[in-house]
Amino acid sequence: MDESARQALRALPAVEELLNHAAAASLLAAYPRTQVVEAVRAALEGARREILKDSTAGSALGDPGTLLAAAASLLADWQTPGLRPLLNLTGVVIHTNLGRSPLAEQAVDEVVKVARSYSNLEYDLGLGARGHRETHLEALLTRLTGAEAAFAVNNNAAAVLLLLMALAPGREVLVSRGQLVEIGGSFRLPDIMRAGGVRLVEVGTTNRTRIGDYESAITPDTAMILRVHTSNYRIMGFTEEADLGEMVELGRRRGVIVADDLGSGALNELDAYRGEPTVAASLRAGADVVCFSGDKLLGGPQAGILVGSKAVIGRLRKHPVARALRLDKMTLAALEATLRIYLDPERARREIPVLRSLSRTPADTAPLAAALLAAIDRRAPGGFITEVEETSARAGGGSMPLTEVPSHAVRIRFPEAPAASASATPTIVAFENALRHAPIPLIARVSQDSLHLDVLALDERDIEVVAESVAWAFGQVQSA
Ligand SMILES: *Cc1c(COP(=O)(O)O)cnc(C)c1O
C-alpha cells in the first residue's frame, strides 16, 4: 500500500462522526438506528475497498455527503424486494428463468384470500373434524382428467421422486435410452433415480426402443416402466419408441406399474397445445399414474400433479416423504382456482395467461405489436428506428420444443455503424442492459444491431408499462 492510500484510509470519517452529521438525520428518522449503522459501516467498507484499488480516488471517497448517500442507497436497496415482476418480451411464453406461468386473475384473488385469513386447509366443514388438504383439488383433477384419484406435490421433479420412492424402492425401473432427459440443468433422470433409491435399467437405444426391448429387460425385480416425455428435445430420423398402449399391455401382463412423466402436461386437446400429448390421453391408454407440472402448459402455480388409479395414488399419499413434498395453502388455492377455470375450456383460453398467449395467431399479434410500437413512439420520439416485424416465438417450458409459434415483435434499431463482429453493437448492448435495470425490468431478445420485443407473451394491459421501460432505457443510453 502506498502512502497516499494510507493517508486516504486514515482520512475516512468514523462511524459515529457520520451518524452525527446533519445529513444522517433524515436516515435516522426513516430507519431503525441499527440498520443505519450497518449501512454506514458498509458504505465505509466500500470506500476502503475503492481506495485500496485506486489510491488516487482517496479524498473524494471520504466525503461525508458521498458516504451517507451511499448508505442511503443501501438502505433503500434493503427495502426493495429481490424477487419482483418484470416484462417478458423474449418470445418464450413459458420461460423457466422468468417464473414460468403468470397466474390467472381469479387464481391470484384466491391466493390473496387464503393468505390473509384462516382457512379450511385441513378441516372438514361438514364433519367439524380434521380433513385432508387435497380433497378439493382431487375432485377437480379427477373430473378434468378422468382419473380415479389425484394428488399434488411441490413440483414435477418431486412428483417423479415420490413415484420412484413409493412404488419402486430398491427395485428396477425401466426407461428407454431415448428418454433419459435433463431438464434445466438440475433435473437429470439418472440422478433422480439414484436419489430415489431405485435401479435404473436402460432399455433399447438412443433412437430406437421397441416394446420387445422392455419385455426382455423385465426381471422379477422390475417394479416399474417409466415413460418420460422428451420435453426439450426430439430425436429425429430413423427412430422408434414403444407406444404407451403397448407398455400398459406389457405392464399388466407382467405385473409391472406403468408411469408416464408428461413434463408439461396439457390437460386436454386445446388447439393452443399444437399436438402436445395430453394427460387424458395417457390415462385412456391405461397408464397407472401420470405426472406433470403445474406451471408449464397448465398455466398454474409451481406444483407436481399426479393422477392415476386409486391404488397407486393411495400408495403415494401414504409414503412418509409425501409430507415433505406437500403443497402449501397458497399454491393449493392457486392450483384449485386454475383448474376450476378449465371446467370451461373457452374460459381457460381467455383467462389463463399462457393459454391466451399460445392461442394467439399472427392476426392477434400484429395489431398488438402495432399498438406497442405506437406507444413507444409516443413516449420516446426520435433517436431510434422502430418497426413491426414477423417473428417465430416458442412455447418454452419443455413443451413443443420444435414448434415455432408465428408472432410479431417491435424491432428497435439505432442509426449507427454496423457491428464489426457477429456480436451486438455497443449501443444495443447498453440499451439491453438499461432495459434490465428499468424500474420495471424488461427482458427482450437481442440480435446484432437490434432489440426485438416479441409480443406473444405480452398482456395487452402492459403496453404502456413496456413503453415506459423502453423510454426510460432510451434516456439512460442517450445520457451516457
Ligand atoms: C419440466 C419437467 C420435469 C420437472 O418439472 P418441474 O415442475 O420443473 O419440477 C420433469 N420431467 C419432465 C419430462 C419435464 O418436462
Side-chain angles (χ1 to χ4, degrees):
M1 198 191 319
D2 65 17
E3 187 48 38
S4 64
R6 232 185 298 272
Q7 223 164 35
L9 286 178
R10 264 199 305 273
L12 283 176
V15 173
E16 260 330 290
E17 192 182 325
L18 286 171
L19 292 173
N20 292 328
H21 194 276
S26 61
L27 296 182
L28 286 163
Y31 303 96
R33 187 178 175 86
T34 51
Q35 265 186 43
V36 180
V37 170
E38 206 182 321
V40 163
R41 285 217 174 99
L44 281 166
E45 190 45 46
R48 259 180 227 115
R49 268 199 307 273
E50 284 305 306
I51 291 166
L52 290 175
K53 253 201 307 213
D54 174 15
S55 59
T56 59
S59 56
L61 289 168
D63 171 57
T66 310
L67 285 163
L68 285 167
S73 128
L74 277 174
L75 284 161
D77 258 11
W78 293 343
Q79 298 292 322
T80 310
L83 181 61
R84 56 207 177 106
L86 56 72
L87 300 156
N88 172 15
L89 287 105
T90 59
V92 179
V93 174
I94 306 166
H95 198 307
T96 297
N97 299 154
L98 307 183
R100 288 196 183 155
S101 304
L103 293 178
E105 283 307 327
Q106 178 110 45
V108 173
D109 290 348
E110 299 304 325
V111 170
V112 170
K113 278 189 223 158
V114 302
R116 220 179 240 143
S117 170
Y118 291 102
S119 62
N120 61 340
L121 180 64
E122 289 186 358
Y123 185 75
D124 187 321
L125 286 168
L127 297 176
R130 187 168 198 280
H132 295 288
R133 65 172 60 207
E134 317 87 29
T135 311
H136 319 286
L137 196 63
E138 186 171 29
L140 272 169
L141 279 167
T142 52
R143 248 175 96 180
L144 286 165
T145 63
E148 276 176 24
F151 188 60
V153 290
N154 181 59
N155 57 17
N156 193 33
V160 174
L161 184 66
L162 181 60
L163 272 180
L164 300 172
M165 294 180 87
L167 305 176
R171 299 182 61 199
E172 291 171 354
V173 174
L174 312 187
V175 183
S176 163
R177 287 200 166 87
Q179 298 174 359
L180 291 171
V181 303
E182 170 178 311
I183 312 275
S186 52
F187 179 90
R188 305 183 94 187
L189 204 63
D191 297 342
I192 296 276
M193 295 262 180
R194 225 183 338 270
V198 308
R199 292 204 305 283
L200 166 64
V201 177
E202 299 181 15
V203 172
T205 62
T206 305
N207 58 325
R208 303 198 75 173
T209 303
R210 303 180 185 84
I211 193 64
D213 296 324
Y214 286 96
E215 175 130 40
S216 53
I218 291 181
T219 72
D221 223 15
T222 307
M224 181 189 291
I225 297 174
L226 176 63
R227 186 176 81 152
V228 183
H229 181 46
T230 55
S231 295
N232 44 12
Y233 64 99
R234 291 286 182 269
I235 294 173
M236 290 186 293
F238 186 55
T239 66
E240 184 173 343
E241 281 287 357
D243 75 39
L244 191 58
E246 292 176 312
M247 294 183 192
V248 168
E249 190 278 322
L250 174 63
R252 299 250 160 92
R253 193 150 44 78
R254 305 289 299 266
V256 170
I257 287 173
V258 175
D260 193 15
D261 173 10
L262 274 184
S264 220
L267 263 195
N268 40 35
E269 282 83 12
L270 283 178
D271 51 5
Y273 299 142
R274 293 164 227 248
E276 270 292 294
T278 68
V279 179
S282 291
L283 290 166
R284 276 199 305 273
D288 296 293
V289 57
V290 180
C291 66
F292 56 102
S293 290
D295 56 354
K296 290 183 178 171
L297 277 178
L298 188 73
Q302 178 188 305
I305 299 167
L306 295 137
V307 292
S309 71
K310 270 208 167 74
V312 165
I313 297 293
R315 286 168 69 184
L316 300 180
R317 196 175 269 141
K318 281 205 285 288
H319 192 273
V321 100
R323 165 65 190 257
L325 306 175
R326 78 181 181 185
L327 292 181
D328 83 302
K329 61 188 175 184
M330 290 184 282
T331 305
L332 272 168
L335 190 52
E336 196 192 319
T338 304
L339 291 168
R340 208 173 287 289
I341 298 174
Y342 273 95
L343 294 175
D344 176 354
E346 256 322 299
R347 207 181 137 209
R349 218 170 322 209
R350 256 191 339 263
E351 296 184 14
I352 293 176
V354 300
L355 285 194
R356 191 169 54 209
S357 292
L358 291 173
S359 302
R360 282 176 171 155
T361 66
D364 304 311
T365 53
L368 195 53
L372 178 59
L373 179 133
I376 289 172
D377 284 350
R378 254 193 322 276
R379 271 167 201 270
F384 55 76
I385 305 152
T386 50
E387 65 186 317
V388 169
E389 65 179 354
E390 290 176 2
T391 61
S392 45
R394 284 178 188 286
S399 52
M400 306 175 263
L402 304 184
T403 309
E404 299 189 336
V405 186
S407 172
H408 287 84
V410 173
R411 177 181 182 195
I412 301 177
R413 268 177 310 146
F414 292 86
E416 62 180 339
S421 67
S423 48
T425 63
T427 318
I428 288 298
V429 169
F431 191 50
E432 189 272 340
N433 179 62
L435 283 169
R436 277 188 281 112
H437 289 87
I440 300 186
L442 191 163
I443 313 297
R445 204 162 55 72
V446 180
S447 64
Q448 213 171 346
D449 67 345
S450 307
L451 224 95
H452 308 265
L453 311 181
D454 198 303
V455 298
L456 190 65
L458 174 65
D459 185 330
E460 39 286 72
R461 293 170 304 182
D462 285 337
I463 287 177
E464 293 301 326
V465 187
V466 171
E468 211 166 294
S469 288
V470 170
W472 185 92
F474 187 60
Q476 298 296 109
V477 173
Q478 272 198 326
S479 64

